[in-house]
Amino acid sequence: MENLVQQLRVDGARLWNSLLEMAEIGATPAGGCNRQALTDEDRCGRDLFVRWCREIGCEIRVDRMGNIFARRAGTDNDLPAVITGSHLDTQPTGGKFDGVYGVLAGLEVLRSLEDKGIRTKAPLEVVVWTNEEGARFSPAMVGSGVWAGEFSLEYGHSRVDKAGISIGQELERIGYLGTEPARPTPIKAAFEAHIEQGPILEKQDQVIGVVTGVQGIRWYDVTFFGTPCHAGPTPMEDRRDPVQALAWLCERLYSEVKAYSIDARITCGDLRAAPGSRNTVPEKVVLALDLRHPKPGGLEHLHRTLYRIAEQVQEASGVAIDVREEWYSPPVAFDEKCIEAVDSAVQRLGYSHRKMVSGAGHDSVYVSRVAPVSMIFVPCAGGLSHNEAESAEPGHLEAGCNVLLQAMLSSAELARE
C-alpha cells in the first residue's frame, strides 16, 4: 500500500478542466475573472464547488462567516483533520488561478484518493474561505480571520462595500450564512497551494516554492484635507491643494522605501477625490496605501517613516493629513513540520524547488495562528497576478497538486486494511 501511495499522482487534465470550468463563472472579455466576494458570481462558484464535493461523498459544512468545509471521512474521525484550501473570490479584474487553484487542487486530491479507493486515518477537508481578496470588503482574509479569532463575528458581518452593503447581508442573500460556529475544530496540519503571484520561481526555472512564511502587511487610509476653490481664479500660491500634498508625500515615501531595503514594498492602490469636479480644487483626497516587509523591524520602520513624512508634508503644505491604519498582519513563520512535509514530498517527486517567503498575504496567515501550516507555490507567467492576463502552466499546476497530495497523505497517514 505504501508503495502505491508513493506512486500515486493526481489527474492533471481533470484539474485543468475544473479550473477552466470555474473560470467561466464571472469570465471577463479580456480572459480573466470578476467573481468578487458574495456576489451572484461568487454564489455560483460556491455552488459548483459544493456540487463537485458532494459527487465524491463529502460532507459539507458552512459556518457563520460563509466559510465552506468539504470533509472526506477518515477511518478515525476523532483524529484532528488535515485541511487544505484557499478562496474562490477574485479581484474585479482578476485571473483564473489566484485562490481558486488552491481550492480545486484540494478537490483533486480528494478525487484522486477516491479513484484509487485509498482511505486515510485522519479526515481530510477542503476549505473555501470568505472574502480573502479584500477587493469588495475590507480587510482582506476576513473569513479566515474571524474563524481564527483575529476578528469578532460581529466585525466580520459588519464590513461594508462601497455601496454600504454588509458581508452579513450578502451572506444571507446568496444563501451562505451558515449555522456552524466560525471557529476552529481540531487540526493536525494545514496546507495551501497557490500560484506564486511573483516572478521568482519563473526567473529561477523552479517548479515548486516551499513556503516558509509570509511577509508583514500594513494597510492605511491617508486622508488629505484641503480647501475647495475655483480652478481658474485661484492663484497656485493661494491654494491648500490636497493633491499637491499627496504628490509630495508619495514622492518622498517611494524614495525612502526604495532606499531602505530591497525587500520593502509600497503600493498606492486606490485614490478618491471629493467633490470630484474637474475644475475645482478638491476638498479631500483619500489614498489607500499598502506597506510590506518580511521582517517585523522592517515593517515597523516603514510604519514610522509614513507618519514622519506625513507630518513633514502637512507642515510644508498647510494641508491637514490624517493617517489611519486599516489593517495590520505581522510577518508569519510557518510550522517546521509542515514545511518539512512539503519539502520531503517535493524531493520524493523530483521537482526542482526552492524555499521562499510569500510576498502576498494568504488565508494561511490566520490559519497558522491556530494550526500547523505551510504553503506550496507554483510559477505564474511573468509573475503576473491580480490581472486578467494571469497565466500558469498545466504541468506546474499538476506538480503543485502532486506535492499537496503527498504532503497531506504523510500528515493524515494511511488507513491499514
Side-chain angles (χ1 to χ4, degrees):
M1 177 64 102
E2 299 227 4
N3 189 47
L4 169 65
V5 169
Q6 289 178 0
Q7 296 175 3
L8 182 64
R9 301 293 183 269
V10 301
D11 186 335
R14 179 170 57 193
L15 171 62
W16 180 255
N17 290 334
S18 297
L19 286 162
L20 294 188
E21 185 173 347
M22 184 65 77
E24 293 175 7
I25 301 172
T28 65
C33 288
N34 181 6
R35 199 170 51 244
Q36 294 179 65
L38 308 184
T39 57
D40 289 342
E41 291 78 15
D42 187 25
R43 174 183 55 78
C44 290
R46 288 163 170 259
D47 288 349
L48 179 59
F49 169 75
V50 168
R51 175 168 67 80
W52 281 338
C53 291
R54 283 185 169 145
E55 286 173 355
I56 57 171
C58 291
E59 172 199 351
I60 304 296
R61 308 189 319 276
V62 182
D63 72 16
R64 296 284 294 167
M65 274 303 296
N67 300 315
I68 305 169
F69 300 82
R71 185 178 179 96
R72 185 177 192 259
T75 56
D76 185 350
N77 289 305
D78 291 330
L79 291 173
V82 174
I83 73 170
T84 188
S86 195
H87 59 97
L88 292 175
D89 64 309
T90 74
Q91 292 286 325
T93 52
K96 298 183 180 74
F97 306 103
D98 175 10
V100 63
Y101 168 58
V103 173
L104 298 187
L107 172 62
E108 177 55 35
V109 166
L110 302 193
R111 283 171 162 173
S112 297
L113 295 177
E114 196 68 19
D115 289 344
K116 300 295 185 182
I118 294 173
R119 310 304 300 182
T120 55
K121 288 183 181 179
L124 305 178
E125 292 189 349
V126 181
V127 188
V128 175
W129 301 108
T130 296
N131 189 60
E132 190 274 350
E133 290 289 0
R136 184 181 178 195
F137 304 99
S138 181
M141 297 140 50
V142 72
S144 57
V146 170
W147 175 86
E150 172 68 14
F151 311 119
S152 69
L153 179 64
E154 293 72 24
Y155 176 86
H157 281 180
S158 71
R159 299 298 86 199
V160 296
D161 63 11
K162 291 179 180 178
I165 303 171
S166 73
I167 284 179
Q169 290 172 312
E170 288 293 80
L171 282 172
E172 187 167 13
R173 183 186 70 82
I174 70 169
Y176 277 90
L177 180 60
T179 57
E180 293 280 327
R183 61 172 180 260
T185 54
I187 295 169
K188 182 177 182 181
F191 301 94
E192 182 175 0
H194 212 283
I195 59 169
E196 181 196 344
Q197 300 184 284
I200 295 171
L201 291 175
E202 184 182 58
K203 282 184 175 181
Q204 298 184 359
D205 197 25
Q206 304 290 321
V207 174
I208 300 293
V210 180
V211 185
T212 60
V214 178
Q215 69 177 343
I217 306 169
R218 290 183 110 140
W219 282 4
Y220 308 85
D221 284 340
V222 185
T223 306
F224 301 78
F225 298 94
T227 300
C229 58
H230 198 294
T234 311
M236 298 297 289
E237 64 267 20
D238 292 332
R239 301 182 181 192
R240 287 199 307 120
D241 185 345
V243 177
Q244 185 177 48
L246 165 73
W248 290 355
L249 181 137
C250 287
E251 180 181 15
R252 297 180 190 183
L253 190 56
Y254 268 84
S255 178
E256 292 207 25
V257 168
K258 287 179 180 179
Y260 173 65
S261 167
I262 193 173
D263 294 322
R265 303 285 186 271
I266 174 173
T267 302
C268 298
D270 188 37
L271 287 171
R272 289 165 284 158
S277 172
R278 185 185 300 271
N279 61 345
T280 300
V281 172
E283 179 178 10
K284 180 172 71 173
V285 172
V286 181
L287 165 68
L289 181 68
D290 179 312
L291 296 176
R292 304 190 184 209
H293 198 280
K295 296 180 179 178
L299 192 59
E300 179 62 25
H301 174 83
L302 299 182
H303 175 75
R304 293 195 305 268
T305 298
L306 167 61
Y307 278 88
R308 173 174 55 80
I309 292 175
E311 186 176 340
Q312 292 170 350
V313 171
Q314 177 173 274
E315 184 176 346
S317 66
V319 172
I321 303 174
D322 175 68
V323 180
R324 181 177 66 84
E325 188 167 15
E326 169 71 9
W327 180 50
Y328 171 45
S329 180
V332 173
F334 287 152
D335 179 77
E336 288 296 332
K337 287 185 178 179
C338 286
I339 294 169
E340 175 59 28
V342 173
D343 192 57
S344 296
V346 173
Q347 295 192 46
R348 285 197 304 272
L349 291 161
Y351 298 131
S352 59
H353 62 284
R354 58 158 290 162
K355 290 187 175 180
M356 61 193 307
V357 173
S358 173
H362 299 283
D363 289 305
S364 289
V365 168
Y366 288 138
V367 177
S368 71
R369 299 190 181 184
V370 296
V373 169
S374 186
M375 293 187 69
I376 301 157
F377 277 176
V378 297
C380 53
L384 194 65
S385 185
H386 285 199
N387 188 303
E388 290 162 291
E390 178 183 277
S391 180
E393 293 292 330
H396 291 157
L397 298 169
E398 181 179 353
C401 194
N402 279 327
V403 174
L404 177 65
L405 168 67
Q406 295 293 328
M408 292 184 72
L409 283 177
S410 70
S411 297
E413 299 184 47
L414 291 178
R416 301 294 178 186
E417 297 298 335

